[in-house]
Structures are given as C-alpha cells and as structure tokens.
Amino acid sequence: MIGIIVATADGAVFQQQGYMSDEAARFLVGYREAAALVGFGVRMLPVILTGVWSFPGTEQLGEEKRCLVGLHDGSGNDDIYRSVLQYYPMALDSDDEVVVSFIAVDNFQHCPVEEAFDTGRLAACFDIAAWAVDSLPYRPSTGIYDLTKHDVKALSLGVWVNILATWLSRIGIFSNEFLEKIRLVICRFVIEKLACIKKGATANVEAYIKEQPGIMARLVDMMRHCSDERLSYLPMDPEALCRAILVRSLRFFQAEGEENGKEGQ
C-alpha cells in the first residue's frame, strides 16, 4: 500500500494514493514474506509514504526513513495507526500484535529491481528486530570498549537482525553470498549508530572507525558468532533464543583474547 499522511480537522490520518513502482511492489512482497516467516508474535504492515511527512518523536520533518507505529505505543500516532488499519480489517482479528511500518518512498530510488525482493526481506528483519529490542532493558557495559546503554542498544539491534537474517538464510530465503553482504550492511549500520551516539548526527563514520581500532573486524566476528545449529530452535522459542544469543554475542564483543576464544566455542 502507498499513500500520504494528511492533516484533517480530527488529526493526521493516512490516505491511500500514488503509483506503486516495480521496485516498491517487489520490496513489499519480500518484506511480507520475511515478516510472515519470522513471526515473533508481531504482524508487520508495511506502508510506503510519498511526499514530506513527520511524526511526533521522530527525526526532523521529511528526514525519516522508517517509522514503526503500534497502538498505544506512546508516540501519539494512534489516529494514523487506526486510519491504516481500516484498509486491513482482517488484521483486527489477529492474535498477533499489529505494527505499522511507514517507509519513505525514496528508499527505492537507488534499489535495482532485481535486488528489491531481498531488500524488502532485510527491511522486515530490521523492523521486527527494532520492535523487539525496544522492549529490552539496557545498561552500560565495560570491557574492550566502554559502552553506554545507547551503544549497547545499537549493538543489540545489529545482533538481533543478524539472527533473523541468518535463520532466513538457513531455510533458503537468503543465499550464503547475500548473507555475507547483509552482515557487512548490518556492521556498517551499527558503526554509524555508534558514531552518531558519540559524535552527533553529523558524525564522520570513517574518523570514528579510526578512533576505535579493530571495531569493524570485531563486529564482523560477532555477527559470525551466531551458531547455525542453535538457530534450529528459533521457531520454537524465538524470543528466548534471541536473548540468549544476544547475551553471548555482547560478551564476545567485549571479551579479551583468551576469554573471547572460550566464548566462541
């Protein structure tokens, strides 16, 4: 579905309108496929937005790339949420929590048609992971790096996305080659988050990497730390398994040489 957010006398609402490009249509197919497979007790409804848009509590007007909205989530967007769900009446009968993912149309401007399916699948992994990690408690961590609770949250999001992407690869949705590419994308995303936390929104990521020698290699190793064998149990108890892998991965990230080796065994 594609449309705009408009202001009305009763508040902001979603209105369906606009042309769905081939890239956007393929993106949504891939997104819905991955979201349905991963599950997690959450039903994601991806909605593409055109034009300038803004929500309370998000970034500056027009700069948002993706915004997740749930009912009574504290964001003040309940009217917009309900206006979307009127197009999905069956979603109201679902036992799963329903979350709307608003995605800016410019996400597809540089997306080749042949990559749109996998891009949508990866976007679903990010959204489900983001919704899950938002509910977790975070506290500072010391080790090789001194991490604030915000740093830990950024790392946790990367680990959670990697778990979901690795599992999708294991069941044949992503190729091994694409999974390796995804892990580099995740690492870059985490590095950018860490740099912004430390240096602000205009942070120079390359300069941050130089100030933290070895951090990119450590992130890549942490992503590979997730055992394929353990992922066999993901569909049975996904949240508990993801939390267990998250704890081990963060410990691995912070551990020195010998302890690091033991943790990976």
Side-chain angles (χ1 to χ4, degrees), residues 20-38:
M20 183 79 71
S21 67
D22 288 345
E23 293 88 348
R26 288 169 180 251
F27 175 97
L28 291 179
V29 170
Y31 186 107
R32 286 192 289 263
E33 176 194 41
L37 287 168
V38 172

Side-chain angles (χ1 to χ4, degrees), residues 59-204:
E59 299 174 27
Q60 296 300 311
L61 182 68
E63 293 184 1
E64 310 87 343
K65 296 300 181 185
R66 185 173 292 118
C67 179
L68 301 178
V69 178
L71 187 62
H72 307 314
D73 64 0
S75 68
N77 296 313
D78 287 355
D79 288 341
I80 298 174
Y81 176 91
R82 292 190 182 97
S83 68
V84 171
L85 259 66
Q86 70 179 346
Y87 296 98
Y88 295 97
M90 298 297 292
L92 298 173
D93 298 328
S94 173
D95 291 331
D96 293 338
E97 182 179 14
V98 179
V99 177
V100 177
S101 174
F102 290 108
I103 304 165
V105 71
D106 62 8
N107 277 14
F108 312 105
Q109 288 180 345
H110 306 291
C111 177
V113 173
E114 63 272 14
E115 295 181 8
F117 282 125
D118 281 340
T119 302
R121 291 163 178 155
L122 181 58
C125 292
F126 266 99
D127 282 352
I128 292 173
W131 194 255
V133 301
D134 267 352
S135 64
L136 300 179
Y138 296 98
R139 54 181 181 271
S141 170
T142 56
I144 291 182
Y145 305 99
D146 290 326
L147 304 175
T148 68
K149 64 180 182 179
H150 299 293
D151 296 330
V152 173
K153 184 174 182 178
L155 284 166
S156 299
L157 177 57
V159 171
W160 208 289
V161 174
N162 179 61
I163 293 170
L164 303 183
T166 303
W167 184 70
L168 288 176
S169 173
R170 197 173 189 278
I171 64 173
I173 302 300
F174 290 136
S175 68
N176 290 334
E177 180 183 3
F178 190 74
L179 177 62
E180 290 305 311
K181 186 187 297 186
I182 285 173
R183 285 175 172 162
L184 292 177
V185 170
I186 295 170
C187 289
R188 184 71 185 187
F189 170 84
V190 173
I191 286 287
E192 288 176 356
K193 283 282 189 184
L194 295 176
C196 289
I197 290 168
K198 290 288 192 296
K199 306 291 185 179
T202 59
N204 183 315

